[in-house]
């Protein structure tokens, strides 16, 4: 194990502690140092049953403010207690919120490892194998050499890629980048056979934003030929609640809830992966507009009907 790997592990452990502190204060809204110390001491995996000394706590507060921009302040009226002074700095940043939520869940599961046979999670293929190398290259704007084998190919190909951003979608990690053919494409990390940083560097395109690039796309299919448009879908009474609690896309808006069904609108490109997502719902979702997408759905459904009608 390299020194870098050891340092990384130390940093990860420290990040767990910071996350525990942030999430504990967020859940409590207001909490005293004694209450924090008691909760920390009971978290055996992180604390080794030791109390949270005030000097350590204050050092963590400063580090959290520097690294995350999250201010933990003390309320002196009505008894000394601590609170998150700027919760919007978490809620308005998707990456920060996802990261803190993920670490918080990890901490909770770590506290309950005795239930390991009763907690089921999905594995994310190859994320741990190549993600660190790619992120390090992104930090330095360094070109990577990847060996990639598409699912529909019998052999792999090795070529350089300028890594622009990474995205987690449906339990798979992907990297978006410009290849040696000057194409901006998405590559699944589970299809990589190797990743090596090179000595070459690149300049990230001016004003590039990962959020803006994927803003009108459902998942990871770029679909340059598919233009974003207003899409209206109708969900039946049983399925409308799922769409309300977990929207298909950040642009999703409720138009009308009629009881037996609800209509939603989205502004997104009707790419292959979006159509597949709609088909997963079966008859619980109907595309109302545009007509072109209704036609696409009908074509897929007809093919499926003919497939199963052969019996």
């Amino acid at each position: 194990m390299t020194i870098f790997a050891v340092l990384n592990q130390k940093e990860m452990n420290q990040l767990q502690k910071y996350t525990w502190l942030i999430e504990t204060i967020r859940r409590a809204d207001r909490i005293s140092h004694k209450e924090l110390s008691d909760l920390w001491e009971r978290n055996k995996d992180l604390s080794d049953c030791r109390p949270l000394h005030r000097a350590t706590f204050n050092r963590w507060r400063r580090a959290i403010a520097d690294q995350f921009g999250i201010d933990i302040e003390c309320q002196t009226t009505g008894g000394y207690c601590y609170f998150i002074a700027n919760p919007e700095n978490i809620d308005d940043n998707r990456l920060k919120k996802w990261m803190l939520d993920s670490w918080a869940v990890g901490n909770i599961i770590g506290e309950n490892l005795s239930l390991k046979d009763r907690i089921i999670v999905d594995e994310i293929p190859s994320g741990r194998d190549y993600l660190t190398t790619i992120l390090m290259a992104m930090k330095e704007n360094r070109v990577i050499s990847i060996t990639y084998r598409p699912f529909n190919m019998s052999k792999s190909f090795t070529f350089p890629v300028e890594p622009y951003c990474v995205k987690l979608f449906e339990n798979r990690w992907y990297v978006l980048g410009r290849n040696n053919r000057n194409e901006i494409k998405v590559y699944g990390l589970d299809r990589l056979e190797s990743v090596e940083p090179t000595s070459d560097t690149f300049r990230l395109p001016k004003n590039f934003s990962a959020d803006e690039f994927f803003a009108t796309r459902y998942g990871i299919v770029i679909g340059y030929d598919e233009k974003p448009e207003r899409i209206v879908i109708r969900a039946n009474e049983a399925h409308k609640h799922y769409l309300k609690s977990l929207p298909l896309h950040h642009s999703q808006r409720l138009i009308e809830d009629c009881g037996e069904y609800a209509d939603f609108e989205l502004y997104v490109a009707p790419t292959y992966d979006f159509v597949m997502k709609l088909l997963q719902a079966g008859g619980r979702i109907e595309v109302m507009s545009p007509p072109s997408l209704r036609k696409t759905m009908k074509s897929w459904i007809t093919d499926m009907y003919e497939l199963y009608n052969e019996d």
Side-chain angles (χ1 to χ4, degrees), residues 8 15 19 119 121 164 166 176 225 236 270 275 278 287:
N8 251 6
L15 182 58
T19 307
I119 301 175
V121 297
Y164 288 176
V166 294
L176 172 78
D225 296 331
N236 67 15
V275 173
L278 295 178
V287 174

Side-chain angles (χ1 to χ4, degrees), residues 14-23 25 56-73 84 86 89-90 96 100:
Q14 195 61 48
L15 182 58
Q16 278 186 290
K17 296 174 182 178
Y18 295 161
T19 307
W20 177 91
L21 185 60
I22 294 168
E23 284 303 307
I25 296 175
T56 301
F57 168 63
N58 287 328
R59 186 170 66 250
W60 290 2
R61 286 174 62 196
R62 291 191 294 270
I64 289 169
D66 291 340
Q67 294 184 31
F68 298 102
I70 298 172
D71 298 323
I72 299 174
E73 296 187 359
I84 304 293
N86 53 344
N89 207 10
I90 302 173
K96 188 181 294 184
L100 292 173

Side-chain angles (χ1 to χ4, degrees), residues 242-259:
Y242 288 93
L243 292 187
K244 288 180 179 180
S245 63
L246 186 61
L248 290 176
H249 188 255
H250 67 82
S251 65
Q252 179 180 302
R253 300 290 183 271
L254 175 66
I255 301 175
E256 186 178 15
D257 189 338
C258 300

Side-chain angles (χ1 to χ4, degrees), residues 40 61 64 68 73 87 98 107 121 129 158 163 191 209 215 240 276 288 294-295:
W40 172 252
R61 286 174 62 196
I64 289 169
F68 298 102
E73 296 187 359
W98 176 85
N107 285 340
V121 297
D129 297 331
T158 300
R191 274 146 276 181
S209 165
K240 67 180 183 181
M276 292 300 100
M288 308 305 294
R294 281 185 65 90
K295 184 177 179 180

